């Protein structure tokens, strides 16, 4: 089971073990797999994967399941199979709170490399003729936050829910710009040649939703916030099929 280490609150490290909303959902799925498939009878083994290597690890068999903040795209469907939607968010911009208040934040923007955010901001910059004069892609989210803290970049573009986690860590220092872009739908990823795993995962997620377990986990990992109406609707629609 592959997990990200820098995608709080979905998958990150706490007291030397992976934790988070996606990690908990993957544990539910693993329990379902152990019950249904003999080859999954053993204990799950967690393996850390970076944002750049995660799909390579999945395709090569280094991991069987990818747990993190994984957006579903048509391009990625050529490399992996996905469970039903587990979260919905938008893209946004994180800026220094004082600079934003003074309308003085500049034109150097950072983004995490090998993500849908990088493609989104590239397209936005192309469409608006280059409102931001400098775009820097970072290998990890901590690298990007460190660059923002020392002033090497003026803002950070990414998924809103992940940027909100950064604000939670630095509540007086950063804010969102107020603009939102597009939609990102997260799911658990599997190899394309493992339809049984996807079916078992969807069954486990459906059962957890009907039992109220996903709502409980959502409130646990998102400061008591209830599930969004569109996310709840996505679960109900999938159950109705």
């Amino acid at each position: 089971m592959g997990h990200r280490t820098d995608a709080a609150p979905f998958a990150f490290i706490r007291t030397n073990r992976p934790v988070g909303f996606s990690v908990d959902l993957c544990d539910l799925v693993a329990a379902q797999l152990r019950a249904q498939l003999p080859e999954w009878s053993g204990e799950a083994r967690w393996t850390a994967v970076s944002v750049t290597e995660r799909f390579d690890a999945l395709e090569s068999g280094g991991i069987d399941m990818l747990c993190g903040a994984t957006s579903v795209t048509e391009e990625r469907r050529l490399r992996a199979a996905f469970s039903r939607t587990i979260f919905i968010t938008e893209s946004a911009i994180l800026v220094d709170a004082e600079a934003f208040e003074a309308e003085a934040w500049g034109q150097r923007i950072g983004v995490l490399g090998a993500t849908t955010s990088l493609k989104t901001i590239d397209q936005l910059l192309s469409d608006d003729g280059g409102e931001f004069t400098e775009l820097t892609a970072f290998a990890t989210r901590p690298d990007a936050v460190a660059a923002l803290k020392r002033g090497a970049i003026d803002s950070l573009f990414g998924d809103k829910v992940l940027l909100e986690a950064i604000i939670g860590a630095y509540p007086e220092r950063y804010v969102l710009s107020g603009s939102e872009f597009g939609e990102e739908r997260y799911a658990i990823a599997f190899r394309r040649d493992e339809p049984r795993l996807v079916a078992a995962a969807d069954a486990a997620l459906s059962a957890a939703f009907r039992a109220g377990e996903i709502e409980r986990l959502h409130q646990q990992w998102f400061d008591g916030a209830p599930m969004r109406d569109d996310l709840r609707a996505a679960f109900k629609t999938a159950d109705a099929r």
Side-chain angles (χ1 to χ4, degrees):
M1 294 170 66
H3 69 90
R4 293 277 301 282
T5 61
D6 61 348
F10 294 90
F12 61 107
I13 299 297
R14 177 186 290 166
T15 60
N16 297 318
R17 64 180 297 269
V19 296
F21 182 66
S22 294
V23 170
D24 283 348
L25 293 186
C26 283
D27 275 334
L28 292 176
V29 169
Q32 180 83 354
L33 294 176
R34 283 194 291 271
Q36 291 189 8
L37 305 176
E39 62 267 37
W40 275 70
S41 59
E43 289 298 315
R45 184 174 70 246
W46 286 100
T47 300
V49 291
S50 71
V51 68
T52 55
E53 70 182 4
R54 50 187 169 163
F55 285 102
D56 291 336
L58 195 62
E59 289 179 310
S60 69
I63 60 173
D64 301 299
M65 186 188 312
L66 175 57
C67 310
T70 310
S71 296
V72 181
T73 68
E74 290 306 311
E75 181 180 359
R76 286 177 174 175
R77 287 188 185 278
L78 299 176
R79 304 188 65 186
F82 293 92
S83 72
R84 64 191 306 170
T85 300
I86 63 169
F87 200 83
I88 302 174
T89 188
E90 295 79 29
S91 298
I93 303 174
L94 181 76
V95 298
D96 180 88
E98 292 185 1
F100 182 70
E101 183 69 22
E103 298 183 355
W105 54 291
Q107 297 179 315
R108 300 169 301 167
I109 190 166
V111 65
L112 195 61
T115 62
T116 55
S117 295
L118 177 57
K119 293 191 175 183
T120 299
I121 190 61
D122 270 336
Q123 186 61 54
L124 290 171
L125 295 180
S126 176
D127 290 345
D128 69 15
E131 177 185 350
F132 298 102
T133 59
E134 183 180 326
L135 178 64
T136 303
F138 295 90
T140 70
R141 187 163 286 104
D143 289 343
V145 174
L148 188 64
K149 290 173 66 176
R150 68 175 182 267
I153 57 175
D154 303 307
S155 58
L156 181 60
F157 185 87
D159 294 351
K160 180 180 177 182
V161 65
L162 301 177
L163 298 180
E164 287 174 336
I166 297 172
I167 293 174
Y170 304 95
E172 303 298 326
R173 184 159 186 178
Y174 301 113
V175 297
L176 296 178
S177 70
S179 299
E180 296 180 357
F181 310 88
E183 181 182 85
E184 302 286 342
R185 288 181 173 246
Y186 296 168
I188 301 168
F190 302 87
R191 281 186 297 279
R192 293 187 68 201
D193 61 353
E194 293 284 4
R196 294 181 307 157
L197 301 190
V198 177
D202 286 347
L205 293 170
S206 291
F209 174 73
R210 291 192 298 270
E213 180 67 3
I214 291 182
E215 180 81 45
R216 183 191 70 78
L217 289 173
H218 189 284
Q219 292 185 11
Q220 173 186 332
W221 289 108
F222 299 99
D223 297 324
M227 293 172 64
R228 289 170 42 150
D229 289 342
D230 53 358
L231 179 58
R232 187 176 286 106
F235 271 97
K236 290 180 178 178
T237 299
D239 279 346
R241 291 173 183 166

